[in-house]
Amino acid sequence: MAERSTAAVDVADNSGDDPLTAKADKAATDGVAEAQDTAEKSADDADNKAGDRQNGEQPSIETPELHSGHKLARRYRLEECVTRLDGFSSWRAVDEKLRRAVGVHLLPADHPRARSVLAAARSAALLGDPRFVQVLDAVEENDLVYVVHEWLPDSVELTALLATGPLEPHDAYQLVSQVSQAMAAAHREGLAHLRLTPSAVLRSSTGQYRIRGLAVNAALRGISAERPQRTDTESIGALLYASLTQRWPYDSDAYGLSGLPKGVGLLPPDQVRAGVHRGLSEIAMRALANDGATASRQEPPCTTPDELAKAVAAMPRIRPPEPEFPAPPEYQRTTYQQGTYGRPQQRPGVTVLQPPVPPPAPLESRTGRVLKWAVSALLIAALGLGSWQVADRLLDQKKGAETPKNTQPQDIEDKKEQTTGKPVAIVGAHDFDPLGDGSETPSEIGNAYDGDPSTSWQTSNYYGYPNFGRLKEGLGIVLDLGTVQQVGKVEVTFEGTTSVQLRTAPEGASSQPSSPDDFTTLAAQSGTHVTLAPAKPVKTRYVLVWLTELPSNAGGYRGKISDIKITS
């Protein structure tokens, strides 16, 4: 049940559609009436159809009759019907080829919205933004149109989160920040959602928010808008309002939330619930600045997701609450420490009074005697060592003029100094992204060590957090020195402040390790020009420059390396 509630597609929520059970009960009740009024209904059928055509209503379309176990394209096996509504159905399915759970929308090919659903799904699939639930396939086959998308069983709907109470200020801040930035990126590509409800926003176990149903949910229901950016911005404001107050910002109940009292208008969140963050309350009102709603400080309303994202970025960042650690339990003495171990147990009803045992005198116990002998032995050893050092020094003064000095250690040190500080040639390099898709702009890898600071190798652009959007721990470049060489220092030049680690493969490694954990971390630093030096020079063939945090870049985070130098 938890999996169904968190991964189901947002097509049958509390927006006015009857749930499946209600429809079934209604059908059962109407069946009795139909048995009595068959003649009257048959006479009125022609008039009703004519009235529907005059009102512009679409004739009802039957949902495709499919069952659990049915396979699409000999690959997607239907498991559970999540929604059956308005001529289409949504299923939880299994991709038997890749052995993973997926979601599937199904509707007949002659459905009036089949073409628009296919077009919306294919456009959303081209976006490729990880902040959205990805569309995996969109196919018309055997009189059916179906759309396959990701299934996220480990994520939780915002609807379920709000059922337990309003969000903390930091969580609400992350929600409006991530959702507004994601929708701004979608609108720059010409895509709108038009159905951003609490059930369309998911929060993963890492705290990242993901949006599902981009363009597809609206196409399934035939929803359109004259000002799509304004519609999505107001929806984001409604999500923030609900996250702060646990109330829906309109006078009707929706999505399991109570609406505002009728006749009072749209109240600011900090007037609906005590303790609401003032800055977030104003942001919500600026996004909902429609139908006369304005911010308390009369600031201009936000009419696009991009304006909303900039307004959120301009406010002071809200930090997460400090973790609370429970107090440790009081120390409990065991029976052994209390001196009762090995004693016979007392019989019930018999009280035996033990006379108090006086503590032993200092240094008279067993431990004290051992301590006295140990101190005495140390004093004797110290006196003997001091006498020997004095005698040895007197003998050295007499033989100092006759004994030549041994210069061999100094010669060895000089040779060591001569072997350090020399440039080490880099024979080859390639990108190293084992925790991601395995590739990170490999065509530009030579720019990182060509000696030209005007060229650089760069990572992909990540959103939300400098640590790769919390999608992975890091990535980097593996430098091949050709043979085992001594590495004493690695200098790296970045464009923007970047956190980096120096890792090396074992000296006896015959090939490059495939996992970052197979490398040994020797140094770490952050800056634009860093010098990574281990405690002492090491010998290795493979050197890993491992990035852990990226600088900000055009609304996201991107790392750039313009030069790498290695010396012995």
Side-chain angles (χ1 to χ4, degrees):
M1 184 63 69
E3 180 176 290
R4 175 174 177 176
S5 66
T6 58
V9 179
D10 173 29
V11 292
D13 47 28
N14 300 330
S15 59
D17 299 315
D18 295 333
L20 297 179
T21 55
K23 289 187 176 182
D25 294 340
K26 182 179 179 181
T29 306
D30 292 343
V32 179
E34 288 178 359
Q36 300 173 355
D37 301 335
T38 305
E40 296 179 3
K41 289 188 177 180
S42 60
D44 296 337
D45 284 344
D47 295 338
N48 292 337
K49 291 181 180 178
D52 292 343
R53 287 193 296 269
Q54 291 176 359
N55 294 333
E57 297 180 359
Q58 295 290 343
S60 61
I61 299 177
E62 296 183 358
T63 305
E65 291 296 335
L66 300 176
H67 55 83
S68 298
H70 183 86
K71 287 188 180 180
L72 302 173
R74 297 182 179 179
R75 176 176 179 177
Y76 304 110
R77 185 180 75 249
L78 303 182
E79 292 288 328
E80 178 188 6
C81 183
V82 177
T83 302
R84 193 182 299 274
L85 181 70
D86 196 18
F88 67 88
S89 60
S90 299
W91 294 75
R92 176 176 62 84
V94 174
D95 183 351
E96 295 186 338
K97 183 176 181 180
L98 298 180
R99 297 182 180 180
R100 62 178 178 180
V102 294
V104 179
H105 299 305
L106 281 169
L107 66 164
D110 58 352
H111 195 287
R113 295 194 288 271
R115 303 274 78 78
S116 60
V117 169
L118 276 176
R122 290 166 180 170
S123 299
L126 294 176
L127 181 61
D129 193 321
R131 294 172 291 188
F132 295 90
V133 174
Q134 299 297 300
V135 174
L136 305 176
D137 209 351
V139 181
E140 179 179 359
E141 182 182 55
N142 297 332
D143 298 329
L144 282 177
V145 169
Y146 60 89
V147 177
V148 183
H149 61 86
E150 283 184 300
W151 188 271
L152 306 175
D154 295 333
S155 298
V156 182
E157 286 184 2
L158 182 59
T159 306
L161 296 175
L162 295 180
T164 60
L167 300 184
E168 293 290 335
H170 173 72
D171 294 332
Y173 171 80
Q174 291 296 328
L175 167 70
V176 67
S177 176
Q178 295 182 32
V179 174
S180 60
Q181 291 179 17
M183 290 308 306
H187 278 284
R188 284 194 291 268
E189 300 297 330
L191 293 173
H193 196 291
L194 304 183
R195 193 167 174 76
L196 267 175
T197 64
S199 55
V201 178
L202 308 174
R203 187 174 73 176
S204 66
S205 57
T206 60
Q208 183 180 11
Y209 290 91
R210 299 188 67 180
I211 304 171
R212 65 182 173 195
L214 178 66
V216 176
N217 281 4
L220 284 169
R221 293 180 174 274
I223 298 175
S224 61
E226 295 182 359
R227 301 174 64 188
Q229 294 202 60
R230 186 69 195 89
T231 300
D232 283 343
T233 304
E234 185 173 354
S235 298
I236 300 173
L239 295 177
L240 177 59
Y241 194 103
S243 300
L244 296 173
T245 63
Q246 203 184 10
R247 300 287 292 271
W248 194 238
Y250 303 101
D251 56 4
S252 59
D253 299 345
Y255 313 110
L257 301 172
S258 301
L260 297 178
K262 296 183 179 181
V264 300
L266 182 60
L267 299 174
D270 53 0
Q271 295 183 17
V272 175
R273 192 180 192 93
V276 171
H277 190 277
R278 181 68 179 275
L280 292 176
S281 176
E282 294 180 357
I283 289 292
M285 295 299 291
R286 292 177 63 183
L288 286 169
N290 206 3
D291 299 331
T294 56
S296 58
R297 292 168 57 182
Q298 301 298 324
E299 294 186 4
C302 299
T303 58
T304 66
D306 187 61
E307 292 179 0
L308 181 59
K310 292 179 179 178
V312 175
M315 67 179 293
R317 185 174 181 179
I318 302 175
R319 299 189 177 276
E322 294 292 334
E324 296 182 359
F325 299 100
E330 295 184 1
Y331 179 72
Q332 300 291 335
R333 295 177 61 87
T334 64
T335 57
Y336 179 81
Q337 292 169 325
Q338 293 172 354
T340 61
Y341 180 78
R343 297 181 181 177
Q345 298 293 329
Q346 298 180 4
R347 297 179 181 179
V350 178
T351 303
V352 180
L353 298 177
Q354 296 288 346
V357 179
L363 300 181
E364 290 298 329
S365 62
R366 181 180 178 183
T367 304
R369 290 194 296 269
V370 173
L371 182 60
K372 287 192 295 184
W373 282 107
V375 172
S376 300
L378 288 176
L379 289 176
I380 294 173
L383 290 175
L385 180 61
S387 302
W388 177 80
Q389 288 180 345
V390 172
D392 187 62
R393 183 172 298 177
L394 293 175
L395 292 175
D396 288 342
Q397 291 178 355
K398 293 180 180 180
K399 299 180 179 180
E402 301 176 1
T403 304
K405 295 183 179 179
N406 188 2
T407 59
Q408 184 176 357
Q410 183 63 34
D411 295 339
I412 295 176
E413 294 296 331
D414 293 341
K415 291 181 181 180
K416 289 184 179 179
E417 292 179 0
Q418 294 175 1
T419 59
T420 60
K422 293 183 179 180
V424 177
I426 301 174
V427 176
H430 65 85
D431 56 315
F432 189 65
D433 187 19
L435 306 180
D437 56 5
S439 178
E440 197 80 8
T441 58
S443 59
E444 302 176 359
I445 202 68
N447 297 337
Y449 61 97
D450 58 358
D452 184 1
S454 62
T455 61
S456 63
W457 167 82
Q458 62 182 4
T459 69
S460 301
N461 206 22
Y462 295 87
Y463 299 93
Y465 300 91
N467 53 346
F468 304 92
R470 292 185 177 177
L471 300 177
K472 49 191 171 185
E473 295 179 0
L475 57 82
I477 298 177
V478 175
L479 306 171
D480 187 359
L481 307 183
T483 59
V484 175
Q485 302 282 345
Q486 178 174 293
V487 176
K489 180 174 63 176
V490 178
E491 299 180 30
V492 187
T493 302
F494 298 99
E495 295 183 17
T497 302
T498 308
S499 297
V500 62
Q501 296 178 353
L502 171 63
R503 301 188 179 190
T504 58
E507 181 179 353
S510 58
S511 61
Q512 174 198 315
S514 59
S515 171
D517 295 333
D518 295 336
F519 290 83
T520 302
T521 304
L522 301 178
Q525 201 172 345
S526 178
T528 56
H529 182 82
V530 299
T531 300
L532 302 170
K536 61 180 181 178
V538 297
K539 290 187 177 182
T540 184
R541 175 179 174 179
Y542 300 100
V543 176
L544 172 59
V545 177
W546 184 252
L547 310 185
T548 56
E549 287 194 2
L550 307 178
S552 59
N553 176 75
Y557 298 91
R558 185 193 299 271
K560 296 181 180 180
I561 300 178
S562 58
D563 193 25
I564 300 177
K565 293 180 180 179
I566 302 178
T567 56
S568 61

